[in-house]
Amino acid sequence: MPFFFGPAPIRRTLPYLTSGQLVFRRRVKIMEVNYNMYWKYWRKDGSHKPHPYDSHVGLREFYFWSVPQIQYMNPEVQILRHLERFPNPFIRCWLDDGRDVLFDCDSKSRHEILDQLNRTLGKTPEILAMERSIAAEENPAIFGYKRQRWCMCAIPGQCPCPGVVMLPKNMRGKYYNFLKEDLEKEEREIVEGGAEPEYEWKCMPFLKMQRKYWKKPEKT
C-alpha cells in the first residue's frame, strides 16, 4: 500500500497514532516547533562533518516520531515547523487568549520534551477518564439502529411518522401544486357537509395559455 513507503511507515498506522499520550487542553490553539537541520555540503577540508555536540537531535526526533501522534490526537491544534531560523531549539504554544508558552528543548531527548509538554499543557488522566465516561453515556438526542429510539417521532412534540398518522396535505408531494388555503377549505367542507374535493391548480393559467399550441393525435 502507498503509506508503507518512506521513512518509518509505522508512523502512519492507526495503532501507532492512537497510542499518543499528549492531549492538549482546549485553550491551546497553535504549536510551533523551531530547530535546525545542519544541512552542510561536502567540502575537502572536512568542514561538512556535523559538530560532535548537536543540541537539536532531541527535538528533531520528537518532530519525527511524536508529532504525527499529536496531530491525530489534537485535530483542532495547528502545528507549525520553522527550520534554520533560531540558534536554539524550542517549542512555542499559543493559547486562545493570545499568550504564548515557551519550552526550552536544548539537549533534551524526545521523551523529556513530550513529558514536559504533557505536564504543562496536557490533560490529566482524571480529565481524560471523565471525558471518556461522558462520551460513553447514551445521548438521548441520537436515534437509530441500536439506540433507545428508532425514530425521532418517538419524542413528544415532534412530527409523527406518516405511517402512523397521515401528514397534512400541504406537506405531501402529491398536493404540491395546490394552494394551502384551498386544501384547508376543502378539508373543512368535507368534514362539515360531505362535499367532494375541488382544487384550483396554481399552474392553471399557464396550462390554458399553452393549450392552444397542443395538437391532437392524428387518427390512423
Side-chain angles (χ1 to χ4, degrees), residues 164-187:
V164 180
V165 179
M166 185 177 297
L167 292 174
K169 291 185 177 180
N170 61 316
M171 299 177 62
R172 298 166 62 184
K174 181 179 180 181
Y175 301 94
Y176 174 76
N177 291 321
F178 301 103
L179 297 176
K180 180 180 179 181
E181 295 78 8
D182 296 340
L183 294 174
E184 294 177 352
K185 179 180 178 181
E186 184 265 340
E187 289 287 345

Side-chain angles (χ1 to χ4, degrees), residues 115-176:
D115 183 64
Q116 184 181 10
L117 287 172
N118 202 359
R119 285 187 287 104
T120 307
L121 296 177
K123 294 182 178 180
T124 61
E126 293 78 10
I127 296 178
L128 295 176
M130 182 186 64
E131 291 179 353
R132 285 194 294 267
S133 63
I134 294 175
E137 295 179 358
E138 182 67 23
N139 189 352
I142 303 176
F143 57 91
Y145 182 65
K146 292 185 179 180
R147 300 294 180 178
Q148 294 182 357
R149 300 176 179 85
W150 174 260
C151 183
M152 185 177 61
C153 66
I155 302 176
Q158 300 295 327
C159 183
C161 278
V164 180
V165 179
M166 185 177 297
L167 292 174
K169 291 185 177 180
N170 61 316
M171 299 177 62
R172 298 166 62 184
K174 181 179 180 181
Y175 301 94
Y176 174 76

Side-chain angles (χ1 to χ4, degrees), residues 80-95:
L80 304 175
R81 181 179 68 163
H82 301 294
L83 299 177
E84 311 294 340
R85 294 186 60 182
F86 301 97
N88 298 327
F90 66 93
I91 294 177
R92 175 182 292 174
C93 294
W94 294 91
L95 308 182

